[in-house]
């Protein structure tokens, strides 16, 4: 039997919502790339930066250390479901720090405001997770 906690929720949005999401994603990524916010060693969820690249980089560093007679140590952490633990208020503050303000920030705040998610398999459902973003009705 499957444990619903092992599955990630999916969004059930209209095609219009998905188009808006894609447009916002493309604009946000283009802006982040333009202002060069992410370090070169950020491999996850980036175009032309796969986990294979991360493995090649670490293997190269280990080999260099061995050739120089140095010791190497690696610590690997499984961050599965990491996005599910992101505090949305902190995320929005970070975006503002990187000059995501005005309508773009209002849209993202509204998008994250009062979100719920759960997983349902057959007649078994997980507990609902509610995202508590500070939402002000007069803000929108």
């Amino acid at each position: 039997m499957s444990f619903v906690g092992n599955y990630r929720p999916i969004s059930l949005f209209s095609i219009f919502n998905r188009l808006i999401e894609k447009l916002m994603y493309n604009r946000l990524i283009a802006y982040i790339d333009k202002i060069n916010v992410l370090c070169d060693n950020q491999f996850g969820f980036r175009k032309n930066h796969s986990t294979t690249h991360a493995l090649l980089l670490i293997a190269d560093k280990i080999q260099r250390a061995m050739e120089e007679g140095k010791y190497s140590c690696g610590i690997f952490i499984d961050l599965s479901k990491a996005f599910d633990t992101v505090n949305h208020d902190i995320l929005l503050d970070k975006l503002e720090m990187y000059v995501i303000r005005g309508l773009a920030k209002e849209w993202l705040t509204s998008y994250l405001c009062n979100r719920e998610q759960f997983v349902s398999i057959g007649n078994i459902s997980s507990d609902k997770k509610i995202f508590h973003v500070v939402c002000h009705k007069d803000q929108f």
Side-chain angles (χ1 to χ4, degrees):
M1 179 158 90
S2 297
F3 177 63
V4 293
N6 290 334
Y7 294 91
R8 288 185 47 79
I10 59 169
S11 299
L12 300 175
F13 290 127
S14 70
I15 193 73
F16 178 74
N17 285 14
R18 290 188 183 272
L19 286 171
I20 296 294
E21 274 184 355
K22 189 69 172 172
L23 288 170
M24 283 299 289
Y25 170 80
N26 289 338
R27 292 193 70 184
L28 190 58
I29 289 298
Y31 179 72
I32 286 170
D33 287 343
K34 179 182 174 184
I35 64 172
N36 201 25
V37 169
L38 302 176
C39 74
D40 291 336
N41 292 330
Q42 168 63 45
F43 292 98
F45 306 103
R46 290 183 67 195
K47 188 177 184 178
N48 300 321
H49 288 78
S50 72
T51 53
T52 303
H53 290 113
L55 291 171
L56 289 171
L57 179 68
I58 193 69
D60 183 55
K61 287 185 176 193
I62 290 170
Q63 184 177 4
R64 283 187 196 178
M66 288 174 56
E67 289 171 356
E68 295 173 8
K70 296 179 180 177
Y71 293 101
S72 298
C73 177
I75 298 173
F76 302 92
I77 302 169
D78 179 9
L79 296 176
S80 60
K81 299 183 184 182
F83 188 74
D84 296 340
T85 64
V86 170
N87 180 303
H88 291 167
D89 289 312
I90 293 172
L91 173 64
L92 290 166
D93 287 344
K94 287 279 188 182
L95 289 173
E96 186 167 347
M97 187 176 79
Y98 290 112
V99 197
I100 308 296
R101 297 186 180 120
L103 288 176
K105 184 177 180 205
E106 287 178 22
W107 184 84
L108 288 165
T109 302
S110 173
Y111 184 81
L112 295 172
C113 188
N114 298 320
R115 290 278 169 201
E116 295 179 348
Q117 73 179 26
F118 68 98
V119 175
S120 179
I121 302 171
N123 61 354
I124 301 172
S125 296
S126 68
D127 293 333
K128 284 185 179 179
K129 180 175 181 180
I130 300 171
F131 297 101
H132 299 286
V133 172
V134 177
C135 302
H136 303 287
K137 290 181 182 178
D138 60 330
Q139 194 174 22
F140 308 110

